[in-house]
Amino acid sequence: MSNTNSDQNTATAQHHTETRAAHAGRHPDDTHGAVNVPVYHASTITFPTVAALKEKNGRKFDDVYYGRYGTPTTRAFDEAVADLEGGRWCVSVGSGMAAVSCTLMALLKAGDHLLMVDSVYWPTRNFCDTLLKNMGVRTTYYDPLIGAGIRDLIEPETRLVFTESPGSLTFETQDVRAIAEAAHAAGALVALDNTWASPVLFRPFENGVDLSIQAATKYIVGHSDAMLGTITMTDRALFERVKTVAGQVGHAVGADEAYLGLRGLRTLPTRLRQHGESGVAVARWLQGRPEVERVLHPALPEDPGHALWKRDFTGACGLFGVRLKKGPSPEAIAALLDGMRLFSMGFSWGGFESLILDTTASISRSATAWTHDGPVLRLHVGLEHPDDLIADLEAGFARMAAADGR
Ligand SMILES: *Cc1c(COP(=O)(O)O)cnc(C)c1O
């Protein structure tokens, strides 16, 4: 390529994450110079000749030949995610859960054994316990803090070790590097649900991960308005396996969703910095409250996962948990939550707005025990000013106390 300004996808490994987020996946020569890739609404792609059709060689993009397998818009999104996450290949699908299930189906068959982290996102656990089990795949759950000890659980049929760090709802930090070393020594692959870190706070491939999954619905989209999932890899053969299964199962990403994913990705590192900073401010304030037993946030020095988090992560997002001391009645917790003015209640997270949820009943364990018997809240700290969020929480604690007549 000549040395002109014709291809803006010129950020390289030497550039900072913010720079790469701004430039990844952009090819203005292909888009009449427009900064953003257009939204290609396409199922049918036409071919100029019989020979081109046989080769599945379309007009300009030689691997775009039918909407289900991608359009120029989804290709730009895949390329940008792969770049930011430090991988080479990315398969995008319609949701984070589709990325999880597609990964498991691509890598496991009847007779295989899967090691799954006990603190995993509950729908992933449910997939393993139902559909994957029906396909003849055995799952063993393991302690998220197991580290190199995972080697004792690896069986001859173990093909995959699945990690998620920090864990959903309970936020244990995993030693992904030690787990990957043990898994690779035994010939097993390692997948990571990297949604908490998004593609910018943890480098999966430098820590031994083979496949990194994102619920792009969360921070990549970042505005609570689209569902997307991604699977990123460095290995071409692995990519072919995942891509083939995505096509067989019929995953397809809509052009509008891919566009919203790209839109979100441009500002991802900048947004995350604020989510992280405000999240720590709110977490510290909570840690000092008499109602709080412990805040589950690896960026706090008193968190048991802090040393690992410091070693492996470049920052925190805005999502963390809060264990309240035992005592408040369910009515008092409802009074706390129902009266919130800035925090809303809702599933999902990663948008610009703050969320709060009572997750007490949702924590599910089989390999380890969850011993805390007080209420557990999950907070997503959005882009509001943290002082306003703290005032909202302070009023909530007052309502909680009043409801129990304290
Ligand atoms: C939300 C989430 C998912 C699933 O993503 P969807 O887009 O909602 O299907 C998977 N893993 C983690 C850690 C999540 O938080």
Side-chain angles (χ1 to χ4, degrees):
M1 185 178 295
S2 63
N3 188 18
T4 68
N5 193 20
S6 68
D7 189 338
Q8 302 257 283
N9 183 25
T10 47
T12 68
Q14 288 108 50
H15 288 97
H16 293 87
T17 309
E18 293 82 353
T19 309
R20 298 171 69 151
H23 287 263
R26 284 173 52 196
H27 303 284
D29 273 359
D30 296 336
T31 61
H32 302 281
V35 169
N36 293 291
V37 67
V39 179
Y40 284 94
H41 283 283
S43 54
T44 306
I45 310 286
T46 61
F47 301 89
T49 63
V50 170
L53 186 139
K54 263 193 190 147
E55 293 280 304
K56 290 187 182 148
N57 192 351
R59 308 269 165 173
K60 178 134 198 173
F61 300 89
D62 59 6
D63 56 350
V64 170
Y65 56 94
Y66 181 49
R68 188 167 72 236
Y69 302 110
T71 62
T73 315
T74 63
R75 286 280 183 273
F77 177 64
D78 294 351
E79 186 185 328
V81 171
D83 181 310
L84 263 197
E85 198 141 31
R88 177 73 188 82
W89 311 95
C90 172
V91 177
S92 51
V93 288
S95 70
M97 205 46 227
V100 168
S101 63
C102 188
T103 300
L104 295 172
M105 282 191 285
L107 301 179
L108 299 164
K109 60 178 189 321
D112 286 349
H113 178 239
L114 164 70
L115 283 170
M116 175 58 72
V117 62
D118 210 23
S119 51
V120 76
Y121 180 63
W122 185 81
T124 300
R125 173 183 284 271
N126 179 252
F127 181 82
C128 296
D129 293 347
T130 57
L131 288 168
L132 209 56
K133 185 174 171 215
N134 293 343
M135 286 166 56
V137 175
R138 272 184 314 121
T139 300
T140 300
Y141 292 92
Y142 67 87
D143 182 344
L145 306 181
I146 200 165
I150 193 84
R151 78 172 82 77
D152 300 331
L153 297 181
I154 298 177
E155 303 177 17
E157 295 79 28
T158 307
R159 297 283 168 270
L160 181 68
V161 180
F162 195 104
T163 59
E164 182 187 323
S165 180
S168 274
L169 304 184
T170 48
F171 301 93
E172 297 92 337
T173 308
Q174 290 196 262
D175 192 341
V176 172
R177 204 185 294 172
I179 289 173
E181 265 171 36
H184 289 161
L189 292 168
V190 177
L192 167 70
D193 185 330
N194 198 27
T195 303
W196 188 89
S198 89
V200 310
L201 301 176
F202 179 81
R203 308 301 294 159
F205 307 107
E206 290 162 26
N207 283 285
V209 169
D210 299 294
L211 304 100
S212 180
I213 292 165
Q214 291 289 341
T217 307
K218 309 289 166 56
Y219 279 120
I220 292 179
V221 167
H223 295 72
S224 307
D225 52 5
M227 308 288 302
L228 269 178
T230 61
I231 309 147
T232 301
M233 293 135 289
T234 54
D235 182 67
R236 170 102 206 205
L238 216 45
F239 165 72
E240 296 293 349
R241 277 167 80 183
V242 172
K243 183 84 192 154
T244 299
V245 170
Q248 285 172 317
V249 180
H251 287 303
V253 169
D256 292 309
E257 277 68 21
Y259 187 87
L260 289 171
L262 276 166
R263 162 69 67 98
L265 194 130
R266 300 298 174 208
T267 57
L268 176 64
T270 308
R271 280 186 287 114
L272 265 185
R273 205 155 44 230
Q274 191 60 53
H275 282 291
E277 192 180 299
S278 302
V280 167
V282 174
R284 276 196 205 291
W285 178 81
L286 283 164
Q287 189 73 75
R289 289 291 304 192
E291 298 87 348
V292 171
E293 189 244 12
R294 185 155 84 76
V295 177
L296 310 173
H297 193 315
L300 297 189
E302 51 272 50
D303 188 273
H306 184 66
L308 270 180
W309 174 82
K310 232 178 140 171
R311 185 192 78 181
D312 293 348
F313 290 75
T314 55
C317 74
L319 190 79
F320 60 91
V322 184
R323 304 206 310 200
L324 298 183
K325 287 179 186 154
K326 201 178 162 189
S329 65
E331 294 73 26
I333 296 294
L336 161 76
L337 299 175
D338 289 351
M340 285 290 172
R341 308 191 72 134
L342 299 177
F343 284 91
S344 320
M345 281 183 279
F347 299 108
S348 199
W349 46 276
F352 52 82
E353 82 290 7
S354 289
L355 297 168
I356 191 165
L357 214 52
D358 177 6
T359 60
T360 312
S362 310
I363 295 168
S364 188
R365 284 290 182 282
S366 57
T368 50
W370 176 254
T371 48
H372 179 67
D373 54 1
V376 187
L377 306 178
R378 186 185 73 180
L379 271 68
H380 176 254
V381 169
L383 298 176
E384 302 93 336
H385 196 288
D387 291 351
D388 296 332
L389 298 176
I390 287 170
D392 204 22
L393 289 166
E394 192 162 27
F397 282 135
R399 281 191 304 277
M400 186 172 92
D404 278 342
R406 286 185 220 180

